[in-house]
Amino acid sequence: MPTQLATKTPVPPEVTTASQVETGIGALEFTDGFPAGDTAAKVRDHLDYLHGVDTFMNTVQGVSTFAIRKGFLEAGVQDGEVLIFSALMDSRSLFLTGNADTVYFWVFVDLADGPMVLKTPSDTLGVIDDMWFRWIADFGLPGADRGRGGSYLLVPPGYDGPLPEGGFYVHESRTNLAFVVGRAFINEYPGNDPAPAASRIKEQLKIYPYAAGGIGSSVGSYLTGEGPLGQVNDPRSPRFVEGTGLAMNTIPPVDFGHFEMVDQLVQREPATALDAELAGSLAAIGIVKDETFAPDARRRSILDAAAAFANAASRTVGMGAHPIDDFRYYDDAQSAWWNMLFDGGFEFLNPPPLVTSEGIKPFPNKGARRLHSRTSFFYTATCVTPAMCMRLTNVGSQYLLANVDRHGAAFDGARTYRVTLPKDIPAARFWSLNAYDNQTRSLLQTDQIYPRAGSQAFPSPATEAEPDGSTVVYLSPTQPDGIPRSNWIQTDPNRGWFVILRLYSPLQPFFDMTWRPSEFEPVP
């Protein structure tokens, strides 16, 4: 006799879909679980919107890098050529939170034809990132050369050719373009003159193709069949383009142009440059390697709306305004001072490890990308490296941002504010306070083309301390009576602003928070 079938399994209500479901986009209707009427079309449109928001917020980093290169090309700076700010960056150029304190040098190195050698100058602080702003290597003081200058061999994605036995610091890029940014310091020169630092960069910086079998490869390796025997390339000096005083724009678009720029980056670089998940988000809105991105009118309208919201969301997390994000530096939640990197570190995965007398103590790896931390950082800043957020004294640099006063109100360009930095500011090399435009996130444009105050005597006078050793800085449209220029940063009454406090070679009181700047006080 056949086995009697058991009673049917009851269908739990939580696995079914009602005939009408109320959602944020209105009522959706189903006939016994199948989308009815215009439900499928409404869902499809909203999915495109969600994919558009997701794509925008998770590609801010790539669009930022691509926009910088676009700005360079429009200013006549080609790949392999170096944009140098010999007299420091001023507010005439639009760069995401660039500083007016150090001698910058920037260059895109093209690896499409094979490995390239980057010979770095001494006594610099620099980073090599790929076109998706992923960290490749540090050079200079935090790098393998430890500030003495060194030869870095940059290898393109998928390269399987010969490499040297030694003599180079070898690093592979996931993109064919590598982005190099370095800073040289001026605080050790008389009068903080930037000219010697700029001259050193021009004399020592070299960029040239790697010659397989040359420097770094012994004759013995050739004789034993372990490598080729090649010619020795002479190091080449690149063309330098002066950046100080140059009016140029490197800020990425925040409308539909964002998606167009993402597509240009995807088409330029190999498909392997992207993780499959991120590539999937791009593909969901029509951006696919070797395919034309041409959204129809329906999708274009949806992506316009997605860009508008995603920009608003990116700006919100990019200004530390979201209360849930753990960006505030001090335990006091009311403090204005914040830094998004202390939440996710330079990889946006874990907070930077603690540095204790017993050694390095990493935080537990939870395996989750801090998406808001990444979007916040790249909406506001450029170039990522461990040196920007490591809790190590006397190395690298540290940053604190402030966008609001002590009452939580956004800074009003027409008002006067003051901030007090207690004595013994914890920066072994130097410190500075730079003011930025809320809209462009670039140095604030006023008659004061170097909107800064700090310990250096160039490009503005060094700040003067109070009798108790503290330093008070004022920000206002006009110079307050009795306040020297050195302690005043000019603002524009028609534009909102924010500041970044920089500590170069930070000291322990910053990390243990025994030293803390005041909140910003509105001055009646």
Side-chain angles (χ1 to χ4, degrees):
M1 296 277 303
T3 304
Q4 184 70 30
L5 293 176
T7 304
K8 293 180 181 179
T9 303
V11 178
E14 64 267 21
V15 306
T16 65
T17 301
S19 59
Q20 181 167 309
V21 179
E22 295 297 331
T23 72
I25 59 172
L28 302 178
E29 297 181 350
F30 295 85
T31 300
D32 198 20
F34 187 84
D38 64 352
T39 288
K42 290 170 68 174
V43 168
R44 178 194 61 182
D45 287 352
H46 196 58
L47 278 174
D48 279 349
Y49 174 80
L50 294 176
H51 287 308
V53 172
D54 183 62
T55 294
F56 186 110
M57 296 188 70
N58 290 322
T59 58
V60 169
Q61 65 276 27
V63 172
S64 179
T65 317
F66 201 84
I68 295 172
R69 180 172 179 265
K70 181 175 183 288
F72 278 34
L73 295 175
E74 291 175 347
V77 186
Q78 304 300 313
D79 296 337
E81 298 178 344
V82 180
L83 182 67
I84 185 170
F85 290 82
S86 299
L88 310 190
M89 183 181 288
D90 62 47
S91 61
R92 284 170 285 199
S93 287
L94 300 182
F95 280 79
L96 289 178
T97 54
N99 71 62
D101 310 306
T102 61
V103 178
Y104 273 120
F105 55 99
W106 311 59
V107 58
F108 287 90
V109 180
D110 192 347
L111 311 175
D113 293 331
M116 296 287 290
V117 178
L118 172 72
K119 189 172 179 60
T120 61
S122 60
D123 198 25
T124 57
L125 186 68
V127 60
I128 307 166
D129 288 338
D130 73 8
M131 285 299 286
W132 284 95
F133 260 140
R134 290 171 298 216
W135 179 68
I136 297 174
D138 287 330
F139 66 87
L141 296 171
D145 64 286
R146 302 304 294 272
R148 298 187 178 187
S151 296
Y152 290 76
L153 182 59
L154 305 182
V155 179
Y159 177 77
D160 60 0
L163 291 172
E165 300 168 56
F168 296 90
Y169 307 114
V170 182
H171 296 277
E172 182 177 353
S173 172
R174 290 179 63 183
T175 57
N176 284 321
L177 279 173
F179 184 36
V180 179
V181 180
R183 290 160 289 171
F185 303 109
I186 65 175
N187 58 293
E188 67 264 34
Y189 299 110
N192 301 146
D193 182 5
S199 296
R200 187 179 71 252
I201 294 167
K202 292 179 179 179
E203 177 184 350
Q204 297 179 5
L205 181 62
K206 312 292 181 185
I207 303 171
Y208 57 97
Y210 167 66
I215 295 294
S217 301
S218 66
V219 174
S221 66
Y222 167 70
L223 296 175
T224 57
E226 296 177 4
L229 186 63
Q231 299 297 315
V232 176
N233 269 2
D234 290 329
R236 301 180 196 169
S237 296
R239 173 177 176 255
F240 287 88
V241 178
E242 183 54 58
T244 302
L246 183 63
M248 59 185 295
N249 173 39
T250 68
I251 309 301
V254 296
D255 55 9
F256 181 78
H258 178 105
F259 299 116
E260 293 177 311
M261 198 167 279
V262 171
D263 178 64
Q264 293 171 44
L265 176 55
V266 167
Q267 303 310 327
R268 193 193 188 286
E269 295 295 343
T272 53
L274 281 177
D275 298 325
E277 290 293 328
L278 182 54
S281 293
L282 296 174
I285 63 169
I287 298 176
V288 181
K289 175 72 174 176
D290 296 329
E291 295 184 14
T292 300
F293 176 54
D296 58 19
R298 178 195 68 85
R299 179 173 276 180
R300 170 59 193 266
S301 175
I302 291 170
L303 291 181
D304 282 337
F309 176 80
N311 173 60
S314 299
R315 178 171 286 276
T316 297
V317 298
M319 293 194 160
H322 198 285
I324 297 176
D325 292 316
D326 190 21
F327 294 167
R328 301 291 168 159
Y329 186 65
Y330 297 102
D331 293 336
D332 179 2
Q334 301 304 312
S335 175
W337 297 103
W338 66 285
N339 184 324
M340 72 293 281
L341 290 178
F342 282 101
D343 176 53
F346 77 100
E347 293 180 302
F348 310 101
L349 284 172
N350 298 292
L354 298 174
V355 179
T356 72
S357 56
E358 291 79 32
I360 300 296
K361 290 188 176 182
F363 287 87
N365 187 350
K366 298 181 180 179
R369 188 80 64 191
R370 265 43 169 216
L371 297 179
H372 285 188
S373 175
R374 183 175 65 185
T375 299
S376 175
F377 182 80
F378 289 113
Y379 195 86
T380 303
T382 58
C383 305
V384 69
T385 160
M388 298 179 77
C389 62
M390 57 186 173
R391 306 175 202 265
L392 198 60
T393 59
N394 274 299
V395 179
S397 50
Q398 288 294 340
Y399 309 79
L400 288 180
L401 295 83
N403 303 74
V404 297
D405 65 19
R406 67 169 302 167
H407 306 295
F411 294 130
D412 181 347
R415 299 191 64 180
T416 297
Y417 299 84
R418 66 168 174 257
V419 61
T420 300
L421 308 179
K423 68 176 182 178
D424 300 326
I425 299 172
R429 193 175 284 271
F430 72 92
W431 68 269
S432 72
L433 194 70
N434 283 243
Y436 298 94
D437 186 305
N438 276 349
Q439 291 284 7
T440 66
R441 292 91 75 204
S442 302
L443 289 167
L444 186 61
Q445 294 184 334
T446 65
D447 293 338
Q448 198 182 82
I449 63 170
Y450 294 105
R452 69 173 294 279
S455 57
Q456 295 184 159
F458 186 91
S460 58
T463 53
E464 298 179 17
E466 299 292 307
D468 64 359
S470 65
T471 300
V472 181
V473 177
Y474 288 79
L475 296 100
S476 59
T478 58
Q479 188 170 346
D481 292 341
I483 303 302
R485 161 63 186 92
S486 59
N487 294 55
W488 169 62
I489 301 174
Q490 187 176 26
T491 60
D492 182 337
N494 299 311
R495 304 194 72 83
W497 53 269
F498 66 99
V499 297
I500 298 181
L501 173 65
R502 287 176 169 86
L503 305 174
Y504 282 87
S505 296
L507 301 176
Q508 189 58 36
F510 170 77
F511 296 108
D512 62 24
M513 303 183 189
T514 55
W515 182 91
R516 174 175 172 171
S518 78
E519 300 304 309
F520 283 80
E521 296 279 356
V523 178

